[in-house]
């Protein structure tokens, strides 16, 4: 029994390093997803952002999924009984692991259009799903990792559910890092120079908790002297320091967990640490994650072991309307509509705020898409976010 437990722990450790590799090398996710599928004993899997297709900033990785699944998905989306019931039951929350049988009785599922006319045609019968990120975040795309078995297999067991729970926090950290490192063109900032173009403050942390790199945004935030600072350590290294003692303890624990992650006990990426500020303004939010043993940000003894993101809720994104008019030839109304589109409100709500009709707003946005070469609202927002942060 002990030998079996050691072998499983060794398998899990190798899998977790594969997961963290995907944070800076998205091309690895197909291989990683195959390993995850083997770990939970499922022949079919996909890891995706269900509300954001790849052409709208999301991503999709799959294992042995027939192309027809994705081609027919829009037609059967209104019949997705799992999604409907899951929403009603409040299942779409960070870290939730659920089987199809948890959501609704087997008989009800098998009699549904979603199963009879869609999933059954591709040999999908039993489902195991993990909610990597729910829909409550403004800066993280909702993400799910879903596994299927065919009717010739048994339903997923409690052991497979347990295994998925073990990897979920690591998935959240790797995918959280990947999302934060993507720029407006969806490329990964995989060098220290590229990190300077990101909207968030970024610190790379060495094996002993020392700061080995800080991007410009991080240096600017820390330089405000409003609750965070860089402290010189006795060993001649720099450390991240918070003025609030409780926040400092939380930072120390988070750094230790990121540098030497416990395989069986790792916090979810969305569990950020608030750092109070002297000014009384909204607290800085710090997110921590491990990096793969081999990553793009260093070599040899200079290889960072963890990454920290620092965000400031008090600094909303802003874009210069005059610059937009001069650069893209937008009218004043079009520039205003473009900037307002970053709020994330519905078209009807934006039209009401702007005091114009929905049809007028749609016409203005179509002109904006054409002049900026973005084509849709999601791409426009990505462009504006990058323009608001690059200096």
């Amino acid at each position: 029994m002990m030998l079996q437990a050691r072998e499983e722990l060794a398998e899990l450790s190798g899998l977790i390093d594969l997961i963290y590799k995907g944070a800076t090398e998205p091309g690895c996710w197909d291989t990683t997803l195959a390993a995850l599928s083997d770990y939970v004993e499922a022949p079919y899997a996909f890891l995706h952002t269900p509300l954001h297709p790849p052409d709208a900033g999301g991503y999709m990785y799959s294992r042995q999924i027939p192309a027809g699944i994705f081609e027919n998905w829009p037609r059967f989306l209104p019949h997705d009984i799992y999604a409907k019931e899951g929403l009603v039951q409040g299942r779409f929350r960070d870290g939730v692991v659920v089987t199809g049988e948890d959501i609704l009785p087997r008989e009800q599922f098998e009699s549904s259009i979603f199963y009879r006319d869609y999933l059954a045609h591709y040999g999908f019968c039993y489902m195991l799903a993990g909610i990597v990120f729910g829909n409550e975040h403004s800066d993280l795309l909702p993400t799910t990792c879903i596994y299927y078995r065919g009717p010739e297999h048994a339903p997923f067991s409690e052991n497979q559910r347990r295994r998925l729970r073990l990897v979920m926090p690591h998935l959240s950290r790797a995918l959280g890092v990947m999302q934060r490192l993507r720029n407006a063109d969806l490329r990964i900032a995989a060098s220290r120079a590229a990190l300077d173009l990101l909207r968030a403050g970024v610190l790379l942390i060495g094996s002993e908790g020392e700061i080995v790199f800080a991007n410009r945004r991080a240096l600017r935030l820390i330089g405000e002297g409003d609750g965070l600072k860089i402290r010189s350590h006795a060993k001649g290294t720099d450390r991240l320091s918070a003025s609030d003692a409780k926040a400092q303890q939380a930072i120390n624990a988070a750094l230790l967990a990121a540098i030497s992650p416990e395989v069986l006990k790792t916090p979810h990426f969305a569990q950020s640490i608030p750092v109070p500020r002297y000014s009384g303004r909204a607290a800085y939010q710090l997110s921590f994650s491990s990096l793969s043993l081999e990553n793009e940000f260093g070599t040899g003894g200079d290889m960072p072991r963890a990454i920290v993101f620092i965000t400031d809720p008090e600094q909303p994104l802003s874009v210069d309307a005059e610059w937009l008019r001069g650069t893209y030839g937008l009218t004043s109304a079009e520039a205003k509509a473009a900037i307002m589109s970053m709020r994330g409100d519905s078209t009807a709500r934006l039209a009401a705020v702007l005091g114009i009709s929905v049809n007028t707003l749609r016409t203005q946005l179509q002109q904006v898409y054409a002049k900026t070469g973005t084509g849709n609202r999601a791409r426009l927002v990505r462009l504006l976010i990058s323009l608001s942060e690059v200096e």
Side-chain angles (χ1 to χ4, degrees):
M1 185 68 70
M2 289 185 63
L3 177 59
Q4 182 180 358
R6 285 199 299 269
E7 289 175 347
E8 181 175 344
L9 190 60
E11 179 186 7
L12 180 58
S13 297
L15 177 58
I16 286 171
D17 193 56
L18 266 181
I19 290 172
Y20 285 119
K21 197 172 182 65
T24 56
E25 299 180 49
C28 295
W29 279 111
D30 288 332
T31 300
T32 302
L33 188 56
L36 283 165
S37 299
D38 291 341
Y39 186 64
V40 300
E41 301 174 81
Y44 315 109
F46 53 93
L47 172 64
H48 73 144
T49 49
L51 304 181
H52 300 79
D55 64 358
Y59 44 86
M60 163 68 76
Y61 305 102
S62 64
R63 186 206 193 189
Q64 296 189 166
I65 304 294
I69 281 282
F70 306 119
E71 293 170 3
N72 290 314
W73 172 251
R75 184 157 62 96
F76 286 96
L77 183 59
H79 304 288
D80 187 344
I81 194 168
Y82 279 153
K84 289 180 180 179
E85 290 296 320
L87 280 170
V88 170
Q89 297 169 17
R91 302 276 188 177
F92 291 98
R93 305 189 314 275
D94 294 343
V96 167
V97 172
V98 65
T99 65
E101 291 72 25
D102 293 329
I103 297 176
L104 72 165
R106 189 77 205 155
E107 297 78 11
Q108 184 180 350
F109 171 68
E110 291 182 346
S111 64
S112 69
I113 292 175
F114 189 63
Y115 176 71
R116 290 196 331 264
D117 298 346
Y118 183 48
L119 294 182
H121 286 274
Y122 302 101
F124 292 178
C125 186
Y126 302 108
M127 182 198 73
L128 175 67
I131 311 302
V132 183
F133 299 117
N135 56 9
E136 63 266 41
H137 306 290
S138 61
D139 58 345
L140 294 169
L141 300 180
T143 304
T144 60
C145 191
I146 301 179
Y147 304 87
Y148 277 103
R149 285 177 166 180
E152 71 277 15
H153 299 107
F156 287 98
S157 69
E158 183 56 39
N159 184 53
Q160 279 109 35
R161 189 201 303 253
R162 176 187 63 83
R163 286 188 163 207
L164 183 54
R165 283 200 193 100
L166 288 175
V167 300
M168 286 293 289
H170 302 284
L171 273 174
S172 77
R173 289 187 159 211
L175 289 167
V177 170
M178 188 183 83
Q179 289 191 28
R180 294 277 177 87
L181 291 182
R182 299 166 97 201
N183 63 20
D185 296 323
L186 303 184
R187 291 190 293 266
I188 293 291
S191 71
R192 295 186 182 187
L195 292 178
D196 274 331
L197 300 179
L198 294 180
R199 55 183 293 199
V202 178
L203 302 176
L204 299 179
I205 307 297
S207 60
E208 296 186 5
E210 75 278 16
I211 298 172
V212 298
F213 173 81
N215 74 345
R216 288 187 299 177
R217 181 71 165 170
L219 291 174
R220 187 182 308 119
L221 292 172
I222 295 172
E224 293 176 349
D226 197 11
L228 279 175
K229 65 180 180 179
I230 294 177
R231 173 176 53 85
S232 295
H233 192 263
K235 294 184 178 181
T237 58
D238 291 332
R239 305 293 175 104
L240 181 63
S241 176
S243 58
D244 181 84
K246 185 176 180 181
Q248 185 63 57
Q249 290 177 351
I251 288 172
N252 291 342
L255 284 173
L256 181 61
I259 294 167
S260 303
E262 292 186 48
V263 172
L264 303 179
K265 187 179 180 181
T266 298
H268 193 280
F269 184 77
Q271 295 176 7
S272 58
I273 292 175
V275 177
R277 300 160 77 166
Y278 290 124
S279 64
R281 293 186 294 169
Y284 295 118
Q285 297 294 323
L286 274 59
S287 301
F288 298 76
S289 177
S290 302
L291 290 172
S292 173
L293 294 175
E294 295 183 5
N295 58 70
E296 308 298 308
F297 299 121
T299 57
D302 193 35
M303 186 79 71
R305 291 293 299 117
I307 187 167
V308 182
F309 295 92
I310 307 173
T311 55
D312 178 6
E314 292 283 352
Q315 295 187 4
L317 300 179
S318 60
V319 180
D320 188 330
E322 185 62 38
W323 187 89
L324 282 179
R325 290 195 292 271
T327 303
Y328 292 103
L330 304 185
T331 66
S332 295
E334 289 166 355
K336 189 173 183 180
I339 293 170
M340 289 293 287
S341 71
M342 298 174 68
R343 292 170 46 139
D345 292 333
S346 68
T347 303
R349 173 61 182 160
L350 286 179
V353 172
L354 290 167
I356 58 178
S357 70
V358 170
N359 285 339
T360 298
L361 176 58
R362 285 175 176 162
T363 299
Q364 290 175 353
L365 288 176
Q366 288 300 324
Q367 290 297 315
V368 172
Y369 301 152
K371 292 178 181 179
T372 58
T374 51
N376 59 45
R377 185 169 170 181
R379 291 175 181 169
L380 172 66
V381 170
R382 289 204 307 272
L383 172 67
L384 296 180
I385 287 173
S386 69
L387 295 176
S388 69
E389 296 298 330
V390 176
E391 299 180 352

